Amino acid sequence: LPLHADFFKLLTSEAVMRGVSAHVGRATGYLSSSSSSSFALESDGAVRQLESIHQRLNSEVTGLIGQVLSIGTNAISIDVGTGLLSKLLNTASDLRQAQNLLRATRRGGIEEADFCDMPAAKRPRSEGA
């Protein structure tokens, strides 16, 4: 679950929990339905809230990246840098979750592959490095 308070609140809201329960029931065969077995936010209000959360998280990640970059040039205490890096990683994780859920909702449902991206390929080191 995300650490961002508003994102956590959205994902643990009664409407979303009801949707998740119905999705799990269909996926496990406890509920019969001709609808898709993929999960997506169905409420326009929840989708708008997710879009707003996504925009705020994106802005926050951008700001945190700027702060972390300024540490390298201003020689700020390592303790401050460590706290910023931790916050950046947690916020970036929440942003990625929001991105995946928003993308899947726009597409009509979440597939397992939405959360299983392949890692980026590593670049070979040059001889002089």
Side-chain angles (χ1 to χ4, degrees), residues 58-93:
N58 196 35
S59 294
E60 191 172 338
V61 165
T62 300
L64 288 167
I65 288 171
Q67 289 178 37
V68 168
L69 291 175
S70 73
I71 290 174
T73 58
N74 292 330
I76 297 176
S77 165
I78 191 69
D79 293 334
V80 173
T82 302
L84 279 174
L85 285 175
S86 177
K87 185 171 183 178
L88 173 60
L89 291 173
N90 288 328
T91 306
S93 173

Side-chain angles (χ1 to χ4, degrees), residues 5 9 11 23 25 31 34 39 42 48 54 62 70 77 89 97 100 117 126:
K9 186 176 177 182
L11 292 183
H23 166 70
L31 297 175
S34 61
F39 175 77
E42 296 176 8
R48 281 192 303 276
H54 177 263
T62 300
S70 73
S77 165
L89 291 173
Q97 289 179 58
N100 285 343
D117 292 337
S126 63

